[in-house]
Amino acid sequence: MTIPQTMTAARMHTVGGELRLETLETPKPGDMDVLVRVKACGIVPNLGNILANWTTWFPHMPLPPLPAVFGLDPAGEVAALGRQVHGLKPGDRVYVNPGRSCGSCRHCRRGDPISCKHYAFQGYFGFSEHAMQTFADYPIGGLSEYMVAPVSAIVKIPDHMDYGQAARLGYLGTAYSALKKVNAGPGDTILVNGISGTLGIGAAIFGLAMGVNKILGTGRDKALLEEIKALAPNRVEVFSIADGSVTDFAMKHTDGEGVDAFHREKSPSERQLRGLRFSGS
């Protein structure tokens, strides 16, 4: 595969400014890195709002230094490998997990990289001021022709999955991570707020696959809610928030005991729904 010396990328120079197509030097992979030729990149729904008004949305979470190339959940093909990378080859079809951590702190060593003070989403934002070092190591997101990522972030995808589908794996991974966090499984009843949305559908699908006994889902659109219920009519119950109290709905379907886990807290009245476990989305 011929790798050009330069590439085109969409870069933002100021918060709220336009993304400009610019010519940049093609990045080079380090010893444990992979250069990926990007074929598709996810666009999360709130990206426009965040980039247009970052200081209002998440003032405590830093952006990468501007000008910056954003782009979350890219997918593409391996273009080049660092000299210590094995098990991959140029042309392999891959998804790039955007989560970055230092890899050596106590949190990373015990398998909890999100608690690392250097944690950041490549091509998006950091979790604290310490993430600036992470952005220095991996500054280019998926809105570019090429990007570099650590080999630990590379996931091979099957031939029957196209790149556009792979660029949505981050959403599914978020739902799966939430269910793992609360140890959801057989015998449990969980509540998924916004079950007809992208994250909610993922939570419903994975909940069923993980053996969750009953999935209670809320949303606004009754037609969409019925489509979710049709996935497993005997295990999924849905409720439109326009029809009354979510608490009453949950209590009705749990013999007044409440659910075992739900995916986020929105108000004090919802907190009484929580049983033993909680996962934020």
Side-chain angles (χ1 to χ4, degrees):
M1 182 181 298
T2 302
I3 301 171
Q5 295 296 310
T6 60
M7 66 176 186
T8 300
R11 254 196 331 178
M12 188 176 80
H13 289 254
T14 60
V15 174
E18 63 182 7
L19 299 180
R20 304 177 191 171
L21 290 179
E22 299 178 344
T23 299
L24 305 178
E25 181 179 349
T26 303
K28 295 179 173 57
D31 288 348
M32 293 295 293
D33 294 333
V34 175
L35 178 68
V36 176
R37 183 182 179 188
V38 178
K39 296 290 190 177
C41 185
I43 300 292
V44 294
N46 65 345
L47 178 64
N49 292 327
I50 290 175
L51 298 188
N53 197 11
W54 181 260
T55 55
T56 297
W57 282 71
F58 296 110
H60 58 291
M61 291 180 165
L63 288 173
L66 300 178
V69 178
F70 293 89
L72 200 64
D73 295 322
E77 60 183 4
V78 173
L81 305 170
R83 66 183 184 88
Q84 292 181 300
V85 175
H86 309 288
L88 292 170
K89 64 182 184 301
D92 280 347
R93 305 172 71 254
V94 298
Y95 161 76
V96 183
N97 186 328
R100 302 286 171 269
S101 64
C102 75
S104 60
C105 69
R106 66 187 182 93
H107 300 294
C108 290
R109 290 197 301 270
R110 70 182 185 187
D112 183 24
I114 295 179
S115 295
C116 172
K117 67 181 181 181
H118 296 285
Y119 196 80
F121 288 136
Q122 184 176 354
Y124 205 25
F125 62 85
F127 283 36
S128 78
E129 69 277 6
H130 299 286
M132 303 312 288
Q133 178 60 56
T134 306
F135 288 134
D137 294 336
Y138 297 100
I140 304 295
L143 297 179
S144 57
E145 288 187 279
Y146 292 87
M147 65 174 298
V148 166
V151 65
S152 59
I154 302 299
V155 180
K156 293 178 69 172
I157 60 175
D159 291 339
H160 66 265
M161 178 181 289
D162 66 42
Y163 292 116
Q165 291 170 331
R168 305 299 285 174
L169 289 177
Y171 265 107
L172 292 174
T174 298
Y176 179 62
S177 177
L179 291 170
K180 285 182 62 180
K181 185 183 297 182
V182 298
N183 296 314
D188 286 337
T189 297
I190 65 172
L191 173 67
V192 180
N193 290 315
I195 197 170
S196 57
T198 306
L199 279 173
I201 292 172
I205 292 171
F206 282 124
L208 292 170
M210 295 164 71
V212 170
N213 182 58
K214 183 73 70 174
I215 299 173
L216 308 182
T218 67
R220 294 183 177 87
D221 190 313
K222 294 182 180 180
L224 288 177
L225 289 172
E226 288 304 317
E227 289 188 30
I228 301 300
K229 180 175 176 57
L231 293 173
N234 295 329
R235 294 169 62 192
V236 178
E237 298 291 345
V238 294
F239 178 77
S240 172
I241 60 175
D243 289 339
S245 166
V246 174
T247 300
D248 291 345
F249 161 70
M251 294 302 180
K252 173 184 175 182
H253 289 282
T254 58
D255 294 325
E257 294 183 349
V259 299
D260 297 299
F262 67 107
H263 85 298
R264 65 183 300 185
E265 292 180 347
K266 289 185 177 180
S267 67
S269 64
E270 287 186 354
R271 294 192 183 106
Q272 63 184 291
L273 294 173
R274 180 170 61 185
L276 300 177
R277 306 186 301 282
F278 161 78
S279 176
S281 59

